Amino acid sequence: MKIDNKFWLAVLVSGFVSLGYAQKTEEQEEEDRLNGGTITVVKAYDPTISDAFKVNSVPQINDTTKVKKKPVTYRIFSIPVASTFTPTKPGLNRLRPRQRAKYYDNYARLGLGNYVNVLGEFAGNFEIDRDQDFGVFFNHDSSQGSIDEVEADNGFSDTALDLSYGSRSRNMNWGVTGGGRYRTANWYGDFEDALNPLTEDSDVGLSYINYGLGGRAEFFDQVFEKIEVQVSGISSGEDASEFLVEARPQLMFEIMETEVKFNGELEYLSGSFGTQGILDEVPENYSYFNAGLNPSINLYGDMYKAELGARLNYIQDIENSEGEFKVYPDINASYILVENFINAYTIIGGGLDLNSLASFTEDNIFLAPAVLVAPTDRQLDAQLGIKGMLTNQFGYRLYGGYKIEKNRNLYVTDTGIRIAVDNPEPWESGNVFYNRYADLNTLSLGGALTYSSGSGLDITLQGTYLNYDVENGDAFENVASNLPEFKGDLIANYEINEKWNIGSTLYFVGEREAYRFGSGVENLNSFVDLNLDVSYKINPKLSAFLRGNNLTGGNYQLYQGYPVQNLQVMGGAVYKFDF
């Protein structure tokens, strides 16, 4: 695929601006372990204000396109505010030593922008006593939408609340976390040939409620090292519901001075759909049970490090009374070829991915009322590469990868109902996504380059080329629907001084093919998305920020038929404090 010079020029220009991240002390990291773990359903996908259905909720660099999912977690304890507060770097001053930056346990953030975008956050840590803490995190993102040339309502809202309690003693740390999340959005996707096109009066609203309760315990100097347990669920405004129970114990001990680990997993997933879409009839109920064991040993030498293991899984489709065993490799090894400069590494893995309605909404909230839910057999997920330092300031990584997935989920759309009606359902205008499963083999080639000046400027540039081979997807012409050929990003951070920070992120997503039942393959154009964040520390407690998102402009489509908001600007303030 050809990438023109304008893109690379944009990359070079954006590399000179950046966002200052808050740093965390060892004491804070110890406090984090009091948290009972994060409930991922509370923040199920990472939204940004660049998309009409997305707004960045984490006080960090704005990821406006978020092609590859990264996990989002809330740090309840001792939260420094990223991008608006950067502690003083240690060092000597001619007159006197710099005062060590103060960290605050609590903060509140408020931001307002065009498209009537609103961002509000509160994080609080309440110390009960020396060994107990109670944490609160509240988050709200919303937008009134009004995307150019979109007829239907395209606003959204996203509100979440997490509560946590943590305790520690000489023998163990433990904690619990509970939370809920409420999201609303609209099926505003445009299909120009729909017999029932959307209008400004179309009621295309959708909603999801997530909830979860989880706990975590860590044991010191014990064979039974830790355990995590979580119960979570999701329900939709179209009568879909799902319930998931997870338990992950971990044991670790030594045999003849060799570290041995046994990681276990138990998962029970059950769900149902009360409303069907129009593309096909989805089973009304689904239930799966997964039991897994991951034994491994760690080997160390002067020039090498290796973790050798395997994954064993038993998956049962309860509704159809079918079950089978799966075995996967689990190898992670590295070898020093030239100390500090060239380290060779390899990762050979695989696993069973228990797909769920909750995980699908993380990727794409514009789903049909009912979708097919089935596990993916990731038979091989391998990577081979080299990494190291070119100089004291420049680092690099080059790699190639190959992945074999059986029963891989892909998103497709339809043309809507082919009969004109007065009051079509919100999902009957070719504006929702269904999923189809196929066997997918993926070849990836990529690299990353990092630069750290040591005086406040940090730059990371990375890109990945992807080639897909789809089999057993004849129903949709074996198209790798909605998957990009190339993706890359540049993140730059620059701490100008103690008060000013500037940051930028730039994303490039290559061309994609998307399949629509009833019309065939459609092509989605590549796009560049540039974001800028400027923050000013008024005093140690109060900071102001100004953000620009999608500065390259244009209502590009991250999802088929769904244009995003054009250029956005948001301004606001962050106040940090202690009770």
Side-chain angles (χ1 to χ4, degrees):
M1 182 185 63
K2 184 177 180 181
I3 304 174
D4 58 30
N5 292 330
K6 293 181 178 179
F7 164 67
W8 295 114
L9 180 60
V11 170
L12 293 174
V13 172
S14 66
F16 291 95
V17 290
S18 65
L19 170 65
Y21 283 113
Q23 300 175 4
K24 181 178 292 186
T25 64
E26 293 181 2
E27 189 175 355
Q28 290 173 301
E29 293 175 353
E30 176 66 19
E31 286 184 308
D32 284 344
R33 285 202 290 268
L34 292 176
N35 194 336
T38 56
I39 299 299
T40 57
V41 298
V42 174
K43 197 65 193 169
Y45 73 110
D46 190 10
T48 66
I49 64 174
S50 176
D51 306 299
F53 47 92
K54 289 179 147 192
V55 166
N56 194 345
S57 63
V58 180
Q60 294 182 356
I61 291 176
N62 301 289
D63 294 348
T64 62
T65 60
K66 207 47 113 182
V67 176
K68 180 177 180 181
K69 267 301 300 160
K70 297 181 180 180
V72 179
T73 58
Y74 293 145
R75 300 287 185 182
I76 299 299
F77 301 102
S78 301
I79 301 178
V81 179
S83 82
T84 57
F85 170 70
T86 301
T88 305
K89 289 183 174 296
L92 296 178
N93 186 285
R94 287 186 178 181
L95 299 179
R96 64 180 183 273
R98 293 184 180 181
Q99 183 177 2
R100 184 178 180 182
K102 176 177 174 57
Y103 288 88
Y104 295 88
D105 288 339
N106 318 282
Y107 79 87
R109 173 190 292 262
L110 178 64
L112 301 173
N114 60 334
Y115 293 97
V116 197
N117 288 330
V118 178
L119 170 63
E121 293 175 351
F122 170 79
N125 176 46
F126 304 87
E127 185 176 296
I128 300 173
D129 58 35
R130 183 176 180 180
D131 296 321
Q132 298 180 88
D133 291 83
F134 177 74
V136 179
F137 184 88
F138 173 80
N139 178 84
H140 173 80
D141 303 309
S142 64
S143 175
Q144 297 301 309
S146 301
I147 298 175
D148 296 340
E149 300 180 1
V150 173
E151 293 289 339
D153 183 8
N154 48 86
F156 71 92
S157 67
D158 185 352
T159 304
L161 176 66
D162 275 346
L163 303 175
S164 66
Y165 169 81
S167 176
R168 65 184 169 203
S169 65
R170 295 181 58 185
N171 299 320
M172 63 177 293
N173 288 346
W174 68 275
V176 294
T177 301
R181 183 183 183 204
Y182 179 63
R183 290 175 290 167
T184 65
N186 288 276
W187 284 301
Y188 68 86
D190 179 36
F191 174 50
E192 60 183 12
D193 295 328
L195 291 182
N196 298 279
L198 300 178
T199 68
E200 61 181 9
D201 297 323
S202 297
D203 182 5
V204 290
L206 64 98
S207 63
Y208 287 99
I209 296 177
N210 298 73
Y211 59 88
L213 177 65
R216 170 177 175 153
E218 297 182 60
F219 305 93
F220 306 142
D221 300 322
Q222 302 289 330
V223 172
F224 190 68
E225 189 174 41
K226 67 179 179 179
I227 185 170
E228 297 178 356
V229 179
Q230 180 170 300
V231 177
S232 60
I234 184 173
S235 62
S236 77
E238 305 302 330
D239 299 324
S241 64
E242 183 179 81
F243 184 74
L244 175 63
V245 180
E246 303 169 273
R248 291 183 168 81
Q250 179 175 309
L251 285 73
M252 184 174 67
F253 52 91
E254 290 189 359
I255 299 178
M256 298 178 63
E257 299 184 350
T258 299
E259 187 178 276
V260 180
K261 286 185 178 181
F262 280 90
N263 295 330
E265 64 176 358
L266 295 172
E267 297 175 305
Y268 172 74
L269 176 71
S270 180
S272 64
F273 297 107
T275 303
Q276 295 287 335
I278 65 173
L279 189 57
D280 52 18
E281 192 77 12
V282 172
E284 182 178 343
N285 300 300
Y286 58 92
S287 298
Y288 294 96
F289 173 73
N290 172 47
L293 182 64
N294 175 209
S296 64
I297 61 172
N298 291 329
L299 305 176
Y300 302 93
D302 293 337
M303 304 293 288
Y304 72 90
K305 179 173 64 176
E307 181 177 356
L308 308 178
R311 293 182 181 273
L312 298 84
N313 286 87
Y314 173 76
I315 179 72
Q316 183 178 25
D317 182 345
I318 298 174
E319 293 293 326
N320 296 312
S321 300
E322 298 176 351
E324 58 182 329
F325 285 94
K326 302 286 186 180
V327 179
Y328 308 96
D330 185 18
I331 299 172
N332 192 332
S334 62
Y335 186 82
I336 300 175
L337 297 176
V338 180
E339 189 169 5
N340 296 328
F341 293 101
I342 305 177
N343 292 347
Y345 73 92
T346 184
I347 302 171
I348 304 174
L352 185 71
D353 300 327
L354 190 65
N355 297 319
S356 64
L357 175 63
S359 65
F360 291 152
T361 61
E362 293 177 11
D363 295 332
N364 187 346
I365 197 173
F366 306 111
L367 298 176
V371 294
L372 293 168
V373 177
T376 295
D377 180 10
R378 198 158 31 88
Q379 295 184 344
L380 179 66
D381 193 351
Q383 188 177 114
L384 177 66
I386 58 173
K387 57 185 177 181
M389 300 296 295
L390 298 174
T391 67
N392 289 335
Q393 295 177 318
F394 286 93
Y396 73 94
R397 181 167 70 100
L398 299 173
Y399 63 89
Y402 193 72
K403 185 185 297 186
I404 301 175
E405 297 173 283
K406 300 295 183 182
N407 210 41
R408 168 66 149 80
N409 168 69
L410 297 167
Y411 295 111
V412 300
T413 55
D414 65 357
T415 56
I417 58 174
R418 306 315 298 164
I419 301 175
V421 297
D422 292 333
N423 296 302
E425 296 290 349
W427 55 85
E428 293 182 340
S429 299
N431 57 335
V432 299
F433 289 87
Y434 300 83
N435 55 0
R436 285 292 181 270
Y437 292 87
D439 298 338
L440 178 66
N441 298 339
T442 306
L443 172 68
S444 59
L445 299 172
L449 182 66
T450 62
Y451 171 78
S452 179
S453 67
S455 59
L457 177 61
D458 298 289
I459 302 173
T460 299
L461 173 65
Q462 58 186 352
T464 305
Y465 164 78
L466 299 152
N467 182 270
Y468 307 101
D469 179 24
V470 181
E471 298 178 350
N472 298 321
D474 296 339
F476 49 96
E477 301 180 28
N478 288 317
V479 172
S481 186
N482 286 285
L483 298 181
E485 298 177 352
F486 181 87
K487 55 186 179 181
D489 60 74
L490 182 147
I491 300 176
N493 307 293
Y494 184 40
E495 178 187 333
I496 299 176
N497 53 40
E498 294 182 0
K499 290 187 175 293
W500 287 97
N501 289 279
I502 301 179
S504 73
T505 60
L506 182 144
Y507 295 92
F508 175 81
V509 177
E511 296 178 354
R512 293 146 290 155
E513 289 185 329
Y515 192 83
R516 186 185 297 275
F517 278 94
S519 65
V521 180
E522 300 176 6
N523 293 314
L524 301 181
N525 294 329
S526 60
F527 62 85
V528 174
D529 188 323
L530 176 63
N531 310 281
L532 182 67
D533 192 316
V534 180
S535 63
Y536 175 73
K537 186 168 68 174
I538 299 171
N539 58 51
K541 290 187 175 182
L542 182 63
S543 300
F545 66 89
L546 181 66
R547 294 176 178 173
N549 291 73
N550 195 12
L551 297 179
T552 48
N555 301 117
Y556 63 80
Q557 295 183 27
L558 177 59
Y559 297 109
Q560 182 183 7
Y562 281 84
V564 304
Q565 292 178 1
N566 209 321
L567 186 149
Q568 310 109 48
V569 177
M570 173 178 280
V574 177
Y575 181 71
K576 302 175 293 296
F577 59 96
D578 288 328
F579 287 110

